[in-house]
Amino acid sequence: MTKRFLILLSALAAVCCSPQVYTMHLDVREASSSGFNLAKKTIAVVYMEDPDGADSLFRSNVTSYFVRALEDDYFGGEEMIPIYAIPKRDTVDVQFMRDLIMDSNRDVVFLMNSTLGTPVLDSLHAVEGATSVDSAFFCSAAIPLSASIYVYDSMAVDSVTTYTGSRIMHRKVFTSGLVPEEYVADDTMKDASAKWGVQAGNAFAARFLSQWTTRGFSFYYFDTFDPEPWLLALDKAREMDFTGAIRIWSGFLDDANHRKRAVAAYNIAMSCYLMDRRELASQWLDLADSYAELPLSPGLRARIAGTAK
């Protein structure tokens, strides 16, 4: 057998044993726009009550709808976030938030202080063509709304993050013109507490909801020399049946070809990563690297370490 023929056979063998790359794209949950990543964390929400205030319904509604939005996003709508009420306080520090963490036995605690101020009514205006005495006049009500949200994540930096905001809300109020102004203000307050409590709760929660992005996750396969099991394993991975895919790839771990062993171990590592079993993924990737150097290995290792997406 000539030397040239041996070189040709070696080249053909290298080509035949070179794995192909298949990339599947998945929607991945990312941290919220606030920077907080609440996935897989337990959460409690505490709100401040003001016994002297007239906005208790507003505070309660804000908190309830804030919690509902978080539960829809992180817990599939299940009621997993307890709500606690505490008396209104002027100062909030790290130690106080730590105490709330201890009391609630949760990873993350939100402390909310939302306030709906007393409506300020302008002068009455007659309604042209009014068909009801009760709505013969109208006025504009200006209602101050303010909120402070304190967040403490016991699994992150030991600090309290504070979000504050305020605005003046306006409502058109109808009246008979015979009702005392303070009664009109009270009715306006109750109506605003219900409606704006829902809106404010959802608006506040939006900052902490997951952001989603589409990312690619690559697997190796062989399309020559009995490609059927490799393609079948990819089908299972596409269907998110990683356990079934791993079962097939495990059959190649004793293969005489070191590259097939490396590819199988790498694919298992990627599957473990997608199942959020990072420590196990790292162990399988170590095994893959011990068999052969694969171009995709450094990228997966960075993902496992959390230094890359």
Side-chain angles (χ1 to χ4, degrees):
M1 189 176 294
T2 65
K3 182 177 181 182
R4 179 178 297 177
F5 186 64
L6 287 173
I7 294 174
L8 178 61
L9 283 179
S10 298
L12 286 174
V15 170
C16 291
C17 291
S18 296
Q20 305 299 310
V21 174
Y22 169 78
T23 300
M24 68 179 191
H25 294 85
L26 301 173
D27 289 334
V28 178
R29 186 193 298 270
E30 303 283 2
S32 63
S33 61
S34 67
F36 283 97
N37 191 341
L38 303 177
K40 296 185 171 68
K41 295 179 181 178
T42 56
I43 303 168
V45 176
V46 182
Y47 74 98
M48 296 186 190
E49 288 185 315
D50 185 359
D52 299 325
D55 60 349
S56 58
L57 178 60
F58 176 73
R59 292 170 182 263
S60 176
N61 281 340
V62 167
T63 307
S64 296
Y65 282 90
F66 179 86
V67 166
R68 184 178 299 180
L70 293 185
E71 288 176 334
D72 286 344
D73 185 35
Y74 293 104
F75 302 103
E78 291 188 49
E79 295 182 1
M80 300 292 290
I81 303 177
I83 299 175
Y84 305 97
I86 63 171
K88 184 179 178 181
R89 57 186 291 124
D90 296 327
T91 59
V92 175
D93 55 21
V94 172
Q95 186 55 54
F96 181 74
M97 296 298 283
R98 288 189 197 130
D99 292 341
L100 292 181
I101 286 286
M102 295 296 293
D103 292 341
S104 64
N105 194 29
R106 292 297 192 271
D107 301 321
V108 180
V109 66
F110 288 87
L111 176 61
M112 306 183 68
N113 181 24
S114 49
T115 303
L116 198 61
T118 303
V120 177
L121 309 179
D122 68 2
S123 57
L124 293 178
H125 305 277
V127 176
E128 295 184 7
T131 58
S132 171
V133 174
D134 292 336
S135 57
F137 296 88
F138 75 90
C139 63
S140 177
I143 309 175
L145 184 158
S146 63
S148 297
I149 302 177
Y150 307 89
V151 191
Y152 183 83
D153 185 347
S154 64
M155 302 176 71
V157 179
D158 185 29
S159 64
V160 180
T161 303
T162 306
Y163 301 89
T164 60
S166 63
R167 62 180 299 185
I168 301 296
M169 308 292 287
H170 296 275
R171 279 183 81 79
K172 190 174 185 180
V173 181
F174 291 91
T175 177
S176 65
L178 303 175
V179 179
E181 184 174 301
E182 59 268 25
Y183 291 163
V184 176
D186 287 345
D187 289 343
T188 302
M189 185 82 158
K190 292 176 183 177
D191 186 51
S193 292
K195 181 178 180 181
W196 290 340
V198 174
Q199 295 178 353
N202 288 322
F204 296 158
R207 181 186 292 268
F208 303 101
L209 301 183
S210 305
Q211 298 186 107
W212 293 85
T213 187
T214 301
R215 299 199 179 278
F217 300 88
S218 297
F219 294 87
Y220 284 111
Y221 70 99
F222 291 91
D223 58 359
T224 56
F225 293 114
D226 192 22
E228 185 175 349
W230 296 99
L231 298 178
L232 179 59
L234 286 182
D235 283 340
K236 291 187 177 296
R238 278 194 294 264
E239 296 168 358
M240 308 301 286
D241 179 11
F242 295 117
T243 300
I246 288 173
R247 190 175 298 114
I248 297 173
W249 287 319
S250 296
F252 292 98
L253 295 174
D254 294 326
D255 197 279
N257 186 299
H258 70 283
R259 191 168 292 273
K260 287 185 179 181
R261 295 198 305 272
V263 164
Y266 167 88
N267 287 349
I268 293 173
M270 176 61 81
S271 298
C272 290
Y273 172 77
L274 289 172
M275 292 190 291
D276 201 31
R277 302 184 64 181
R278 296 197 178 202
E279 184 176 350
L280 191 58
S282 181
Q283 294 172 2
W284 277 105
L285 192 57
D286 289 342
L287 182 63
D289 289 346
S290 71
Y291 292 143
E293 293 184 7
L294 298 174
L296 295 179
S297 181
L300 177 54
R301 190 169 296 282
R303 275 178 157 168
I304 294 171
T307 56
K309 298 294 186 182

